[in-house]
């Protein structure tokens, strides 16, 4: 663990301790905000009781499905934009203003297309995340040194070898950044959609607990959501590091 990581962990721990003290001493209204220790206990009770297992599985599966679709389609879209400059010039204004459009207004249309099931929420998560993946893939491909691509042509590399040995290693940091953003955006969209538009799932249960003034359940569910997303991002980070090490070994 490097020094920056230790500082980040220390900062998070210090903030949690400060919140714990502030809530215990009633510096913050204890009716609306419970101590972090009680949040953690509530999250553990929710996880072990199985009360919300169906909702948790529904949200996680919908979000992960949206992530997979967004990563695949976004990666292919980024490659196409890189290979087709005219298409990119046409779509550039749309990509720049994409996140200014409230994606949730499309939910009624998705209901008409897919019906009253999980797929409209998957569609919302996909639409919210796919452009981040496409743009980061495009940025990564644009930063591949042209001299390396010319060298690949001189060496008469096949398209597969060029991607494996040159294009992918050079663009990998941007591609993994796109994947990590896709995870965050998809979870935000799915949970927010459940919060407002669904009758089940993580977001719905958080909203229900909020309206019922059930703070332990609400904050416990929020802690679980943070833990799940943080764990997924941590696994992606570990996979990224292992892939870097493997590429360096192959290059050596």
């Amino acid at each position: 663990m490097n020094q920056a990581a230790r500082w980040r962990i220390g900062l998070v721990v210090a903030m949690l301790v400060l919140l714990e003290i502030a809530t215990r001493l009633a510096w913050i209204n204890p009716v609306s905000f419970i101590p972090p220790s009680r949040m953690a206990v509530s999250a553990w009770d929710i996880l072990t009781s199985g009360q919300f297992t169906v909702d948790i599985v529904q949200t996680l599966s919908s979000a992960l499905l949206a992530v997979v679709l967004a990563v695949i389609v976004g990666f292919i879209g980024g490659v196409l934009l890189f290979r087709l400059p005219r298409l990119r010039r046409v779509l550039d204004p749309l990509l720049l203003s994409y996140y200014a459009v409230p994606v949730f207004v499309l939910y009624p249309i998705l209901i008409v297309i897919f019906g009253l099931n999980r797929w409209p929420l998957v569609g919302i998560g996909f639409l919210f995340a796919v452009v981040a993946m496409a743009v980061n893939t495009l940025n990564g491909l644009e930063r591949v040194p042209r001299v390396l691509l010319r060298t690949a042509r001189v060496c008469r590399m096949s398209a597969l070898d060029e991607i494996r040995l040159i294009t992918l290693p050079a663009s990998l940091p941007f591609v993994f950044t796109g994947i990590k953003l896709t995870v965050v955006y998809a979870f935000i969209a799915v949970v927010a959609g459940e919060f407002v538009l669904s009758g089940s799932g993580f977001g719905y249960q958080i909203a229900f607990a909020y309206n019922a003034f059930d703070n332990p359940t609400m904050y416990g569910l929020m802690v679980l959501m943070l833990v799940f997303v943080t764990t997924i991002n941590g696994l992606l980070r570990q996979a990224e590091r292992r892939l870097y090490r493997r590429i360096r070994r192959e290059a050596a």
Side-chain angles (χ1 to χ4, degrees):
M1 184 183 297
N2 56 33
Q3 186 175 1
R6 288 195 293 268
W7 273 101
R8 284 194 294 268
I9 294 174
L11 181 61
V12 171
V13 171
M15 291 178 63
L16 291 175
V17 171
L18 181 60
L19 285 174
E20 184 76 22
I21 294 173
T23 49
R24 293 291 181 182
L25 298 179
W27 296 345
I28 301 175
N29 187 355
V31 175
S32 59
F33 193 88
I34 64 176
S37 58
R38 285 187 60 196
M39 296 181 193
V41 171
S42 178
W44 178 254
D45 291 340
I46 290 171
L47 195 60
T48 55
S49 68
Q51 180 181 359
F52 299 108
T53 300
V54 174
D55 298 280
I56 292 172
V57 171
Q58 174 185 319
T59 299
L60 293 179
S61 60
S62 297
L64 290 177
L65 184 56
V67 168
V68 172
L69 293 174
V71 167
I72 295 173
V73 175
F75 182 81
I76 295 173
V79 173
L80 289 177
L81 290 173
F82 178 72
R83 295 288 186 182
L84 303 173
R86 291 183 180 179
L87 178 63
R88 182 187 173 183
R89 286 195 293 270
V90 171
L91 295 181
D92 254 346
L94 299 178
L95 295 176
L96 291 173
S97 60
Y98 183 81
Y99 286 107
V101 178
V103 179
F104 294 101
V105 300
L106 301 176
Y107 189 74
I109 299 175
L110 295 175
I111 289 178
V112 172
I113 296 173
F114 297 111
L116 287 170
N117 49 48
R118 64 184 294 186
W119 290 104
L121 288 172
V122 174
I124 288 290
F126 167 80
L127 291 173
F128 202 62
V130 66
V131 171
M133 184 65 197
V135 170
N136 277 276
T137 301
L138 177 60
N139 289 337
L141 294 173
E142 284 184 334
R143 284 162 175 77
V144 177
R146 294 295 177 266
V147 65
L148 295 180
L149 298 177
R150 288 195 292 269
T151 302
R153 297 189 187 97
V154 170
C155 295
R156 296 183 179 180
M157 285 186 177
S158 65
L160 182 60
D161 286 338
E162 181 180 333
I163 292 172
R164 182 173 63 88
L165 297 175
I166 295 177
T167 307
L168 184 59
S171 62
L172 195 60
F174 294 90
V175 172
F176 260 95
T177 298
I179 294 174
K180 287 183 280 190
L181 287 174
T182 298
V183 171
V184 175
Y185 286 169
F187 270 89
I188 289 173
V190 170
V191 173
E194 291 174 344
F195 196 93
V196 179
L197 307 165
S198 179
S200 59
F202 239 125
Y204 170 78
Q205 295 297 344
I206 292 173
F208 187 86
Y210 171 80
N211 292 324
F213 300 99
D214 186 359
N215 285 340
T217 299
M218 181 184 72
Y219 285 114
L221 289 170
M222 292 170 64
V223 168
L224 284 178
M225 176 57 65
L226 289 174
V227 169
F228 290 146
V229 175
T230 303
T231 301
I232 293 172
N233 272 297
L235 293 174
L236 287 173
R237 187 174 180 83
Q238 291 297 322
E240 183 180 12
R241 289 177 176 174
R242 290 181 181 178
L243 190 55
Y244 281 150
R245 288 196 293 267
R246 180 178 177 182
I247 290 173
R248 291 193 189 102
R249 286 197 301 268
E250 290 181 354

